[in-house]
Amino acid sequence: MPAKDIYHDAVKNALIKDGWKITDDPLILSIGKKDLFIDLGAEKLIAAEKDQQKIAVEIKSFLGNSQVNDLENALGQYILYYEVLLAKQDE
């Protein structure tokens, strides 16, 4: 399991204060025999709709030697997670 970002707890606490319930820390997605670890999974009850809103949160600090490289890695993760979540939604 990957190490938590330095802002992990601050983001988690901000979500909780905003009314989100943390459901997964981390959120684990499986692709075949491989696992992906998204930092947080959360849900929030929307009273007007009586429905739940769900989010997956990946926390990035961009503290590496190259912010461009950090951005490339973050964008790659976003695309991968997005595609996997779409595939899981269709299951």
Side-chain angles (χ1 to χ4, degrees):
M1 193 173 333
K4 292 181 180 179
D5 188 275
I6 61 171
Y7 298 115
H8 182 92
D9 291 333
V11 171
K12 183 176 176 179
N13 290 334
L15 288 168
I16 292 168
K17 282 184 179 181
D18 192 43
W20 290 90
K21 176 185 171 192
I22 304 301
T23 57
D24 301 277
D25 185 4
L27 172 61
I28 302 171
L29 298 178
S30 296
I31 303 176
K33 295 182 180 182
K34 300 286 182 184
D35 290 332
L36 300 174
F37 299 92
I38 300 177
D39 291 323
L40 297 170
E43 63 185 18
K44 188 176 193 179
L45 183 64
I46 302 170
E49 298 177 14
K50 302 269 189 234
D51 198 9
Q52 285 184 334
Q53 191 176 37
K54 295 182 180 185
I55 59 173
V57 180
E58 181 65 21
I59 303 162
K60 295 293 177 200
S61 58
F62 290 77
L63 297 176
N65 291 333
S66 168
Q67 288 184 341
V68 172
N69 190 27
D70 290 344
L71 177 61
E72 289 172 341
N73 290 332
L75 183 58
Q77 278 185 298
Y78 171 82
I79 292 168
L80 176 62
Y81 296 164
Y82 179 82
E83 292 297 326
V84 172
L85 287 167
L86 277 181
K88 296 275 184 198
Q89 183 178 355
D90 294 337
E91 290 180 354

